[in-house]
Amino acid sequence: MTISKAYADLERRGRIVRHHGLGCFVSPARDREAEEYGIGNGGRTGDRTRDDGSTNGNDRENDAGGSQSPGRNTGQGKTGTRKKFGWQEGFEDYLPRAQLWRNFDYSEAEYSFHLAAIHSGLLPLKEIGEAMTSLVAKRPELMSAYGNFQGDVELREAMTRHLRARGISLSPASLMITSGTQQGIDLVARTFIGPGDAVYLEEPSYTGAIDVFAGRGAEMISVPMDDDGMRIDLLTKLCDRRPPKLIYTVPTFQNPSGVTMSTERRQRLLELARSYRCLIVEDDPFSDLYFHSPPPPSIKSMDKDGHVVYMKSFSKVLAPGCRMACLAAEGDILERLIAAKAASDLGGPLLIQLALLPFISGRYDAYMTGLRSSLRSRMERAARLLKRYAPRGVRWKLPEGGLNLWLELPHSVDIGELYRKASRLGISFLAGNVCYAGEPSTSHIRLCYAQMEEEQMERGLLLLIPLLKEAMKESTG
Amino acid sequence: MTISKAYADLERRGRIVRHHGLGCFVSPARDREAEEYGIGNGGRTGDRTRDDGSTNGNDRENDAGGSQSPGRNTGQGKTGTRKKFGWQEGFEDYLPRAQLWRNFDYSEAEYSFHLAAIHSGLLPLKEIGEAMTSLVAKRPELMSAYGNFQGDVELREAMTRHLRARGISLSPASLMITSGTQQGIDLVARTFIGPGDAVYLEEPSYTGAIDVFAGRGAEMISVPMDDDGMRIDLLTKLCDRRPPKLIYTVPTFQNPSGVTMSTERRQRLLELARSYRCLIVEDDPFSDLYFHSPPPPSIKSMDKDGHVVYMKSFSKVLAPGCRMACLAAEGDILERLIAAKAASDLGGPLLIQLALLPFISGRYDAYMTGLRSSLRSRMERAARLLKRYAPRGVRWKLPEGGLNLWLELPHSVDIGELYRKASRLGISFLAGNVCYAGEPSTSHIRLCYAQMEEEQMERGLLLLIPLLKEAMKESTG
């Protein structure tokens, strides 16, 4: 397993310690560099994350803050902090890897390609805002009530209809509202995954999921993909050796690769889960964002025995700052997830749930038609620019949906150096290595073409392309 | 340790299995009764929680729901579910105890004493609503933006001023916004607590904290209290035998007991944490809700070395449904908590953070003066009724602040039976046993006097008192 190799390597270099049988932890005696060195990263990115630290939004505050700014500071502040809270360095934690937030908080990027998000100009914020305003006036008590842990019943009814139109027939009692799919993944992991449990996932996969499973001490096993998605033949062989507890998949317009799993493989995956009596987490951020024809039916729509925990984000395509997704599961599995939600935050804000309700039960489908066409046009503009100007050796597939382009660069390219140079120009992207539970054998970057105004996105690409050329020249030279 | 005894007892009866060294888990082969039997409960409450299940909000939906309603159903539905998703029963989880949500979701109680919450009529919902409406109109992009993981900077600046006025001098960089203090406790637990780590807490303590630490497989050690709060002398002896990783305390108007820790004990507790290089979690829901004089300074205000993670809920006293609290910590400890927040939900809704901002930086103190006087008057009305009508043998202390009355009943009283009878009359309360990490040696119920209109609260008490009498008669008869 690649993860074990990567862990062993990091342990050898003193970056992490293995402990308690729960997994690996950043070494207590770590220095700044080790701290910023995510587990599972190749050596090339150690510098990158450091650079990343200096471009995130928190530095501004530290400048304005008092003398007690936290250890994330560099230079003077850092030294002060070190001495002051010295005892903390030896304080053990269960946080094996925390790349995610470093790879996310780029508030100063002028050309932001890093986040799989939709530009506010494309979102129905006016309508959602009006719904919110009207709720606040008519039902102010919504701000005072603790909600049902599962989420508002009316909203779950609307989601039931929404899902039924997409082949998933469940009752509202089988749904739970979460604070984004990130919370859904986290709830599943904290409920069902513990030290050494086998979690299978696509290679590459969603970085936020990798972090969460790592945090539970899971043994993550990556399964290669081809054009039809996860290689179920390989998965089956791997499972024979090491039975799965959970299989995490983004079957539709996969994040980051954009690949869609074929219907046949979806069925086989479900059969495999049945035979191993394991869970599938089907993370579905993008199925409504197809460019040509609708994607294959969801795995959940074929599930008769409650093996699939299905997650669909609504805030991502409507109002990302509202943090709202739907989780569908059944039986005991759902019951236990509701209990975990209660312990986690006692339920999410009702007002926000109900502010999204009219749009979800009303104009959602019409809006989606327009959004798809806008996104497709952006994607095509980005692809056209890349096709015309990107250096030979940069490879990608034209996505059939979703928000990302997944560019493969020659393995010799120094992505950390590319990242540093790009951020000096105000350009952010996601370095592909964070999408691997183990050591990646390829070099990728992920670009989201939807996060900016269209012209801004084009300007950013035109600035980035010369850096790609330079990086490739240096790597061969 | 009481927890070990309780666990051993449950294991003996097949209610739980011990597993993986991570802690104890509800037995896979459990029946309905075992499932609803919280770990650490005395035998008396097994029935109570079952009853509880039938009054919660989800049953209504199940009636309306389709054929796939989850296993929480009873009767027909339940049997159907059992067969259908039978494989799930053997599916191992890491959820040792999930009482909380059962003790929370009482949407049908007409006289609701169970939740430590403030009636909407006392809350500044109009002002907060206006702020929200104005934000939605002026800054709709707030609904689209992923926020800073730490929370909005301006809000943290306002909270910095708020805390400074209460003796806690920190910069905004030392604060993080969480989805209620429940999430704050959860983040600390998932970051720093693992299997077998020693967590000390008051006996009794906040049930939501107990659940979270149990979920991490902590060894919880309960420390008795007297009128000055946690017995630090006993704590010191216990720590000598078993060094603490973390001490969880609600030092001010403690939940559920209402007791306040003296200044001297706060200092000694901090010294103890320094000498053991452990963390203190200071959970502060109520310090602004004093009835006579302000409580002693917070432990955080005395902390020079970053030993205290301080949590203060703002939504509880302003708009509980908005789920917003502030967590204050320093150095590496804070950094790691921010990483955990990122993996947990990628940050909370910005709009809600900013909607609360004007009130927190503006009229908060003036509002609090009025709220305190309203709450005091309610508390006194409740106490007067109890004093006049409650049977001999029901004992309580007049609280100096907070939202709860903590009534001690003779140990022979069957709280489960009392609970069942009360809920038939539409009355809910919190059964004291859920506030114990181990087996309680006393019988308590917690009543919140602030959750209803004042007259409603009085009517509810007048209905409950005869049930108390009856229960005590039966217990001695």
Side-chain angles (χ1 to χ4, degrees):
Chain A
M1 308 307 147
T2 48
I3 180 89
S4 323
K5 259 176 40 199
Y7 271 53
D9 180 47
L10 286 170
E11 190 180 24
R12 190 172 39 74
R13 289 183 287 167
R15 307 289 192 183
I16 56 165
V17 287
R18 304 196 191 214
H19 171 65
H20 271 201
L22 186 71
C24 301
F25 308 98
V26 175
S27 173
R30 64 191 184 271
D31 57 14
R32 172 66 26 182
E33 191 187 357
E35 190 174 341
E36 289 187 335
Y37 193 103
I39 289 170
N41 278 354
R44 275 165 295 116
T45 53
D47 286 334
R48 186 193 60 69
T49 48
R50 186 158 17 158
D51 196 77
D52 180 348
S54 68
T55 62
N56 80 26
N58 294 292
D59 281 3
R60 279 178 305 161
E61 306 153 36
N62 290 345
D63 293 340
S67 61
Q68 307 219 28
S69 39
R72 216 168 349 139
N73 282 337
T74 50
Q76 192 71 34
K78 171 186 153 191
T79 319
T81 303
R82 279 291 127 130
K83 272 183 205 153
K84 197 155 192 179
F85 305 125
W87 71 274
Q88 295 185 347
E89 293 190 26
F91 198 71
E92 240 169 39
D93 67 46
Y94 295 84
L95 208 67
R97 170 180 137 148
Q99 300 195 7
L100 176 62
W101 63 284
R102 292 193 206 99
N103 288 292
F104 201 98
D105 215 359
Y106 304 68
S107 15
E108 288 181 1
E110 198 181 338
Y111 304 99
S112 43
F113 291 99
H114 62 282
L115 196 59
I118 298 171
H119 185 257
S120 64
L122 295 174
L123 298 171
L125 300 183
K126 192 158 169 290
E127 282 170 80
I128 292 167
E130 281 162 6
M132 186 129 19
T133 300
S134 141
L135 278 175
V136 163
K138 285 185 206 144
R139 300 176 60 188
E141 75 283 1
L142 286 176
M143 291 183 282
S144 83
Y146 286 89
N148 187 309
F149 296 139
Q150 254 181 287
D152 180 72
V153 184
E154 252 190 290
L155 177 60
R156 283 186 282 132
E157 279 163 4
M159 286 178 170
T160 299
R161 294 190 293 275
H162 177 102
L163 294 180
R164 195 165 288 149
R166 285 153 182 81
I168 301 176
S169 293
L170 291 173
S171 81
S174 295
L175 306 188
M176 174 164 73
I177 312 297
T178 59
S179 180
T181 47
Q182 185 68 32
Q183 189 186 41
I185 298 166
D186 184 62
L187 293 176
V188 170
R190 62 188 288 153
T191 304
F192 297 112
I193 300 305
D197 282 344
V199 173
Y200 285 82
L201 67 183
E202 286 131 357
E203 180 177 66
S205 185
Y206 167 51
T207 178
I210 296 171
D211 279 2
V212 165
F213 293 124
R216 295 292 303 174
E219 180 181 337
M220 277 181 281
I221 303 167
S222 300
V223 187
M225 288 188 286
D226 61 18
D227 288 354
D228 285 333
M230 193 191 274
R231 289 273 307 273
I232 306 296
D233 57 332
L234 293 180
L235 173 66
T236 308
K237 279 184 197 162
L238 289 165
C239 287
D240 277 345
R241 272 187 280 161
R242 181 90 173 82
K245 180 82 187 270
L246 186 149
I247 303 166
Y248 171 83
T249 177
V250 187
T252 306
F253 315 132
Q254 201 249 7
N255 181 2
S257 70
V259 168
T260 295
M261 193 187 289
S262 67
T263 303
E264 193 221 329
R265 288 207 187 159
R266 289 171 193 232
Q267 282 159 342
R268 285 171 57 203
L269 183 62
L270 187 56
E271 279 157 28
L272 187 132
R274 294 179 64 175
S275 70
Y276 279 107
R277 303 170 82 86
C278 78
L279 273 191
I280 293 174
V281 169
E282 180 178 20
D283 185 355
D284 180 12
F286 297 140
S287 63
D288 288 333
L289 304 180
Y290 54 86
F291 299 144
H292 307 285
S293 47
S298 64
I299 307 171
K300 185 66 187 166
S301 69
M302 313 166 180
D303 177 29
K304 304 289 173 231
D305 314 290
H307 282 279
V308 180
V309 179
Y310 174 84
M311 295 173 194
K312 174 165 187 162
S313 173
F314 284 87
S315 54
K316 190 178 258 308
V317 293
L318 299 179
C322 288
R323 316 296 308 118
M324 204 193 68
C326 156
L327 178 153
E330 288 146 299
D332 244 23
I333 298 293
L334 177 65
E335 282 191 63
R336 292 185 258 178
L337 291 173
I338 296 168
K341 168 79 176 164
S344 176
D345 66 6
L346 301 179
L350 261 185
L351 181 69
I352 282 191
Q353 293 178 18
L354 287 172
L356 292 175
L357 168 60
F359 199 88
I360 290 171
S361 56
R363 219 168 67 72
Y364 184 95
D365 286 338
Y367 156 72
M368 222 27 97
T369 306
L371 181 62
R372 279 193 287 267
S373 116
S374 309
L375 291 177
R376 179 179 167 178
S377 129
R378 277 173 198 237
M379 180 278 288
E380 286 172 348
R381 284 178 78 164
R384 218 175 298 132
L385 280 183
L386 282 171
K387 196 171 173 195
R388 184 177 298 173
Y389 299 113
R392 278 167 52 100
V394 177
R395 303 189 312 168
W396 70 93
K397 292 238 164 61
L398 215 58
E400 302 279 317
L403 301 174
N404 301 313
L405 283 164
W406 180 238
L407 305 191
E408 183 174 353
L409 309 182
H411 195 46
S412 52
V413 166
D414 182 342
I415 303 267
E417 179 63 19
L418 175 64
Y419 187 95
R420 265 193 301 282
K421 285 183 178 164
S423 57
R424 263 178 239 132
L425 299 184
I427 301 169
S428 64
F429 59 76
L430 192 76
N433 66 292
V434 302
C435 304
Y436 292 79
E439 187 99 25
S441 59
T442 56
S443 288
H444 282 88
I445 63 176
R446 194 193 73 180
L447 303 179
C448 170
Y449 43 77
Q451 207 187 342
M452 289 166 279
E453 296 273 12
E454 201 156 350
E455 290 67 33
Q456 182 79 349
M457 183 270 287
E458 292 201 329
R459 275 195 297 277
L461 266 189
L462 291 173
L463 284 171
L464 177 63
I465 287 169
L467 298 183
L468 292 177
K469 286 191 180 145
E470 204 180 304
M472 290 176 64
K473 207 175 290 166
E474 280 168 10
S475 80
T476 54
Chain B
M1 306 310 146
T2 48
I3 179 90
S4 323
K5 257 177 38 197
Y7 271 53
D9 180 48
L10 287 168
E11 192 179 24
R12 190 172 40 77
R13 287 181 289 165
R15 308 289 193 183
I16 56 166
V17 287
R18 303 196 190 213
H19 173 65
H20 271 200
L22 186 70
C24 299
F25 308 99
V26 176
S27 172
R30 66 188 182 271
D31 59 14
R32 172 65 24 184
E33 192 191 355
E35 188 174 342
E36 291 188 332
Y37 195 102
I39 289 172
N41 278 355
R44 274 164 296 115
T45 56
D47 284 334
R48 187 191 61 67
T49 50
R50 186 158 17 154
D51 194 82
D52 179 349
S54 68
T55 62
N56 81 27
N58 293 292
D59 281 0
R60 279 177 305 160
E61 308 153 34
N62 289 346
D63 293 340
S67 61
Q68 307 220 27
S69 40
R72 215 164 355 135
N73 281 337
T74 52
Q76 192 69 36
K78 171 186 155 190
T79 319
T81 304
R82 279 292 127 127
K83 272 183 204 152
K84 196 156 195 179
F85 307 126
W87 71 273
Q88 294 185 348
E89 293 190 25
F91 198 72
E92 237 170 41
D93 68 44
Y94 296 85
L95 209 66
R97 169 181 139 144
Q99 302 195 5
L100 176 61
W101 64 284
R102 293 194 206 99
N103 286 292
F104 203 97
D105 218 359
Y106 303 67
S107 15
E108 288 180 2
E110 198 182 336
Y111 303 98
S112 44
F113 291 100
H114 61 285
L115 196 60
I118 298 170
H119 185 261
S120 64
L122 295 175
L123 298 170
L125 300 182
K126 191 157 171 291
E127 283 172 78
I128 292 167
E130 281 163 5
M132 186 131 14
T133 300
S134 141
L135 277 175
V136 163
K138 286 187 203 143
R139 300 178 59 188
E141 77 282 359
L142 286 177
M143 291 182 282
S144 82
Y146 287 89
N148 186 311
F149 296 137
Q150 253 180 290
D152 180 73
V153 184
E154 249 189 294
L155 177 59
R156 284 186 281 131
E157 279 162 4
M159 286 179 170
T160 300
R161 292 190 295 274
H162 177 100
L163 294 181
R164 194 164 289 146
R166 285 154 181 80
I168 300 176
S169 294
L170 291 173
S171 82
S174 295
L175 305 188
M176 174 163 73
I177 311 298
T178 58
S179 181
T181 47
Q182 186 68 29
Q183 189 186 42
I185 297 167
D186 184 62
L187 293 175
V188 169
R190 63 189 290 154
T191 304
F192 297 113
I193 299 305
D197 282 344
V199 172
Y200 285 81
L201 68 182
E202 286 130 357
E203 181 178 63
S205 185
Y206 168 51
T207 177
I210 294 171
D211 279 1
V212 165
F213 292 124
R216 296 291 305 172
E219 181 183 337
M220 278 181 281
I221 303 166
S222 300
V223 186
M225 288 189 286
D226 60 19
D227 289 353
D228 286 333
M230 193 189 274
R231 290 272 307 270
I232 306 297
D233 56 333
L234 292 181
L235 173 66
T236 307
K237 279 185 196 160
L238 290 164
C239 288
D240 276 345
R241 273 187 278 163
R242 181 90 173 81
K245 180 82 186 271
L246 185 150
I247 302 165
Y248 171 81
T249 177
V250 186
T252 305
F253 313 132
Q254 202 249 6
N255 182 359
S257 69
V259 169
T260 295
M261 194 186 290
S262 67
T263 303
E264 192 221 327
R265 288 209 187 156
R266 290 172 192 232
Q267 281 160 341
R268 283 170 59 201
L269 183 61
L270 187 57
E271 277 157 30
L272 187 134
R274 295 180 64 176
S275 70
Y276 278 107
R277 301 168 84 85
C278 79
L279 273 190
I280 294 173
V281 169
E282 180 179 20
D283 185 354
D284 180 15
F286 297 139
S287 64
D288 288 334
L289 303 180
Y290 54 86
F291 298 144
H292 305 286
S293 46
S298 65
I299 307 173
K300 185 66 184 166
S301 70
M302 311 167 182
D303 176 28
K304 304 290 173 231
D305 314 289
H307 281 278
V308 180
V309 180
Y310 174 84
M311 297 172 191
K312 175 165 187 162
S313 173
F314 284 88
S315 54
K316 189 176 261 304
V317 293
L318 300 180
C322 288
R323 315 297 307 122
M324 204 193 69
C326 156
L327 179 155
E330 289 146 297
D332 245 23
I333 298 294
L334 177 65
E335 282 190 63
R336 294 185 258 178
L337 291 173
I338 295 168
K341 167 79 176 165
S344 175
D345 67 4
L346 300 178
L350 260 185
L351 181 68
I352 282 190
Q353 293 179 18
L354 287 171
L356 292 176
L357 168 61
F359 199 88
I360 290 171
S361 55
R363 218 169 65 74
Y364 184 94
D365 286 338
Y367 157 72
M368 222 26 98
T369 305
L371 181 62
R372 277 192 289 265
S373 113
S374 309
L375 291 176
R376 179 178 167 179
S377 127
R378 277 175 197 236
M379 181 278 289
E380 286 172 348
R381 283 179 77 164
R384 220 175 297 134
L385 279 183
L386 283 172
K387 196 171 172 195
R388 183 176 303 175
Y389 299 112
R392 275 167 57 99
V394 176
R395 303 190 311 167
W396 70 93
K397 290 238 164 64
L398 215 58
E400 303 278 315
L403 300 174
N404 302 313
L405 283 165
W406 181 238
L407 304 191
E408 183 174 352
L409 309 182
H411 195 45
S412 52
V413 167
D414 182 342
I415 303 268
E417 180 62 20
L418 176 64
Y419 187 95
R420 265 193 302 282
K421 287 183 178 164
S423 57
R424 264 179 238 134
L425 299 185
I427 302 170
S428 64
F429 59 77
L430 192 77
N433 66 292
V434 301
C435 304
Y436 291 78
E439 188 99 26
S441 59
T442 56
S443 288
H444 282 87
I445 65 175
R446 194 192 73 180
L447 303 179
C448 171
Y449 42 77
Q451 207 187 341
M452 292 167 277
E453 297 272 13
E454 200 155 351
E455 288 67 30
Q456 182 78 348
M457 183 270 287
E458 291 199 328
R459 276 194 299 277
L461 267 189
L462 291 173
L463 284 170
L464 178 62
I465 286 169
L467 298 183
L468 292 177
K469 284 190 184 149
E470 204 179 306
M472 289 175 63
K473 208 175 290 169
E474 281 167 11
S475 78
T476 54

